[in-house]
Amino acid sequence: VNIPLMININDVIEAVNDADFDIDYKGIFTISKALWTTFGIYKATQIWKKSESSLARPAVRLLGFNALLVVLVTTYKLTRREIAPLFVLQCLGHYSCFLVFAALTGFGSHPSIKKGKKGDRRISLTIWTLHLLYAVVLVLGFIWAECAEGNVYPISFVMSDSLFLVSYIMLLYVKKRGFDINDLKDDDNDADSKEDLELFDAQVAAFFSQQRILVCWHLIELIVGYYVLNSEIFQEAITCDENNDAWVFNFRAGKLFLLMHTFGIKQSLGVASNVFFKTVKKLEKKRRKKAKKKKE
C-alpha cells in the first residue's frame, strides 16, 4: 500500500471550503501572534521568578499585566471595534510604559536605590502625580469616548496621547534629578556595584530609546487623528456608526488609521519585555564574552 508522505495544503483548504466551514485566516494569524507574544512574556516571568533582585516581583507583575493586555488587544481585534475599549487599551498601554520606569526607580539595581535612597521628594511627587493623572484621564476619557459628526476623533485620544508626551518629559526630569549618575561614590566603588549600575544604565537606556520612538509615533497619531480626520478634506474617510460608539471605515486608508492605534499599543506593551528581558540577556551575553576574553 502506497501512503503519500506529503499533503497538499491547497487540497486541505479546498476540502474545508467544500464542507462549508468559514475560516477566518486573519483571525487565526492574530491569535497565533498573540500566543507567541504571551509565550515570550511567560519565559521572561520564569527568569525573574528565580531572581533574588528586589526588582523581580514588580517585573513579574508588570509582565503579567502586559500579557493580560495582549489578550485584551487580541480580543478587541476579533470583535466589534468600538471606540471606548480602544481608548482604554491605548491609555493602559501608555500607563504600562510609565510603570516600567516607576519599577526601575523604585526597585532597580542602581546602588543608591538598593540602599533605600530613591531620590528627593520631587521625584516621588512626580511619580505619584503621574499615577493620579493616568487614573483621571482613563475615567474621563472612557466617558467622553464618543464619535460625533464633525468630531470623528474623540477628545479622549487627545488626552491620552498628550499625557503620554507630558509623562515622557516628566520622566526625563526624574532621570536627570536622581538617577543619571555615571560615576560611583567611594563606598560604591566595587565590582558588584559597578555591575549593578551597568545593568541599571542599560535598562534605563533601553527604556528611553523605545520611548523616543513612541513619542514620535503618538505625536503623528495625534496630528492625523485630531487635525486631519476632523478636517473637511478627509471627513468621508472615517464616519460614525448609528450609535456613535464606533468608526465606520469607508476607505482602506481609514483601516490604516485603526492599525496605527493597535500597533502603537503593541509597541507600548513591548517596552517591559525589552527592558526586563532582552536588555538583561544582552548584558549577560556581553559579560560572558568579556570574561572569556580575560581567560584567553
Side-chain angles (χ1 to χ4, degrees), residues 142-157:
F142 180 77
I143 296 173
W144 296 338
E146 292 184 353
C147 182
E149 186 177 352
N151 189 25
V152 176
Y153 197 65
I155 192 66
S156 306
F157 292 100

Side-chain angles (χ1 to χ4, degrees), residues 5 17 91 102 107 124 176 178 281 284:
L5 298 178
N17 290 334
C91 193
F107 304 93
S124 178
K176 291 180 179 180
K281 298 295 286 184
E284 288 179 351

Side-chain angles (χ1 to χ4, degrees), residues 9-206:
I9 189 64
N10 292 326
D11 292 341
V12 175
I13 294 175
E14 185 179 354
V16 172
N17 290 334
D18 291 340
D20 293 330
F21 286 115
D22 186 15
I23 297 181
D24 182 7
Y25 297 104
K26 290 183 180 179
I28 293 174
F29 182 66
T30 299
I31 294 173
S32 299
K33 286 196 301 181
L35 289 173
W36 179 253
T37 302
T38 306
F39 176 69
I41 294 175
Y42 170 77
K43 286 174 59 180
T45 57
Q46 294 307 302
I47 292 175
W48 276 103
K49 281 182 178 179
K50 298 176 183 177
S51 173
E52 297 180 357
S53 170
S54 59
L55 186 60
R57 182 175 294 180
V60 169
R61 288 178 177 177
L62 187 50
L63 288 167
F65 175 65
N66 281 8
L68 175 62
L69 289 180
V70 169
V71 173
L72 292 177
V73 171
T74 304
T75 304
Y76 176 82
K77 293 176 70 176
L78 297 174
T79 55
R80 184 171 180 267
R81 299 171 181 178
E82 296 182 357
I83 296 174
L86 178 63
F87 160 75
V88 171
L89 291 172
Q90 185 200 57
C91 193
L92 290 177
H94 294 341
Y95 186 57
S96 171
C97 288
F98 160 67
L99 289 179
V100 171
F101 189 76
L104 288 175
T105 55
F107 304 93
S109 62
H110 193 287
S112 297
I113 298 175
K114 293 182 74 172
K115 291 184 177 181
K117 301 174 183 178
K118 301 181 181 180
D120 57 31
R121 291 182 179 179
R122 283 173 288 186
I123 292 176
S124 178
L125 179 62
T126 301
I127 296 296
W128 282 108
T129 298
L130 285 172
H131 278 297
L132 179 61
L133 286 175
Y134 271 109
V136 171
V137 168
L138 184 63
V139 174
L140 293 180
F142 180 77
I143 296 173
W144 296 338
E146 292 184 353
C147 182
E149 186 177 352
N151 189 25
V152 176
Y153 197 65
I155 192 66
S156 306
F157 292 100
V158 179
M159 293 167 57
S160 178
D161 282 338
S162 297
L163 178 56
F164 179 79
L165 298 176
V166 170
S167 68
Y168 174 73
I169 296 172
M170 294 178 73
L171 294 183
L172 277 176
Y173 163 79
V174 171
K175 175 178 178 287
K176 291 180 179 180
R177 282 295 304 173
F179 303 108
D180 193 18
I181 305 171
N182 294 319
D183 55 343
L184 294 170
K185 296 179 181 179
D186 293 337
D187 57 342
D188 289 328
N189 195 17
D190 58 84
D192 291 338
S193 294
K194 287 181 179 178
E195 286 189 355
D196 288 339
L197 186 61
E198 184 183 22
L199 173 60
F200 182 84
D201 287 343
Q203 289 179 312
V204 170

